[in-house]
Amino acid sequence: MKIIVAQAKHIKYATKISSLIQESAKSRGTGIALRTPEYIAKRIENSNAIIALDNEQLAGFCYIESWGHGKYVAHSGLIVHPDYRGKGLAYKIKKRVFKLSLKKYPKAKIFGITTSKPVMKINHQLGYKPVHFSDLTDDPEFWNGCRTCNNYDVLTRTQRKMCLCTGMLFDPKDSNLVGKVKTKLKSI
């Protein structure tokens, strides 16, 4: 299994990644923002994605995006193919995407929003803390990305103060956390 920074040659997986995200949203019945193959391809082109491959078989994916003029980085689109679930792959992908974030945006606060208990557990293991949505980016483009989620009405009704998702944040200014995270990331 290779877990690597996605490159232009991996754009061929964009449609499959988009479909996996859509299938996961449908099967879970909870909020997941859908992403088009073109959207996924752009993250791959910009070297802002991690892909897990078992030979040529797509096993998993996650990408990062910078918001608020580089003050924040969001981890999004974490997906593992059903054949590879329950084997710790999501954690390994998340560690790699976290390492990529720290390398590209060392001073940015790293965040994610999710309804997934396993993703919340992974985030917690990496040093994220649950926060109010007001502690996350106020960049309207980020929040517009939630429009395809079936919980978007909750987010808009509350003026982005709450949703069914949990917001989680890692602040690199917390030196205790940074040391612990760097130790965990060495195993990548």
Side-chain angles (χ1 to χ4, degrees):
M1 178 80 60
K2 292 187 304 186
I3 303 170
I4 55 174
V5 175
Q7 302 167 4
K9 67 181 181 179
H10 299 118
I11 289 173
K12 65 184 179 183
Y13 295 103
T15 299
K16 182 64 176 166
I17 293 164
S18 179
S19 294
L20 277 174
I21 292 170
Q22 188 171 6
E23 290 165 16
S24 182
K26 187 185 264 185
S27 70
R28 284 184 30 208
T30 58
I32 298 176
L34 305 179
R35 299 293 182 237
T36 65
E38 296 78 19
Y39 190 91
I40 299 294
K42 190 72 172 166
R43 277 50 209 173
I44 293 171
E45 281 177 8
N46 293 337
S47 299
N48 282 339
I50 297 296
I51 192 164
L53 297 170
D54 185 5
N55 293 313
E56 291 297 310
Q57 170 69 34
L58 173 69
F61 181 82
C62 190
Y63 66 89
I64 64 174
E65 288 187 279
S66 173
W67 300 101
H69 306 290
K71 291 184 204 172
Y72 294 90
V73 172
H75 292 172
S76 299
L78 177 61
I79 191 73
V80 173
H81 188 283
D83 294 346
Y84 297 91
R85 291 183 184 155
K87 300 175 183 178
L89 183 57
Y91 181 71
K92 291 174 185 173
I93 293 169
K94 190 72 174 200
K95 280 174 57 174
R96 281 301 300 262
V97 85
F98 198 91
K99 191 173 183 178
L100 178 65
S101 299
L102 291 174
K103 181 179 177 183
K104 291 184 89 168
Y105 305 97
K107 295 181 182 181
K109 293 179 181 181
I110 301 171
F111 75 97
I113 59 173
T114 187
T115 57
S116 167
K117 280 178 72 173
V119 173
M120 285 184 233
K121 181 179 177 183
I122 291 168
N123 287 349
H124 177 74
Q125 290 170 332
L126 290 172
Y128 290 67
K129 294 181 179 176
V131 295
H132 294 283
F133 278 20
S134 61
D135 294 330
L136 305 176
T137 184
D138 61 357
D139 192 319
E141 281 304 305
F142 171 80
W143 299 104
N144 284 340
C146 295
R147 286 180 298 184
T148 58
C149 175
N150 63 1
N151 298 324
Y152 188 64
D153 66 315
V154 177
L155 186 66
T156 55
R157 264 188 292 120
T158 64
Q159 289 81 44
R160 293 194 316 239
K161 291 186 176 111
M162 66 179 81
C163 190
L164 299 181
C165 286
T166 297
M168 298 186 79
L169 181 75
F170 175 86
D171 189 342
K173 291 180 184 167
D174 186 337
S175 59
N176 289 333
L177 282 177
V178 172
K180 290 177 185 176
V181 167
K182 285 187 177 178
T183 300
K184 288 181 183 182
L185 295 178
K186 285 182 182 178
S187 66
I188 298 174

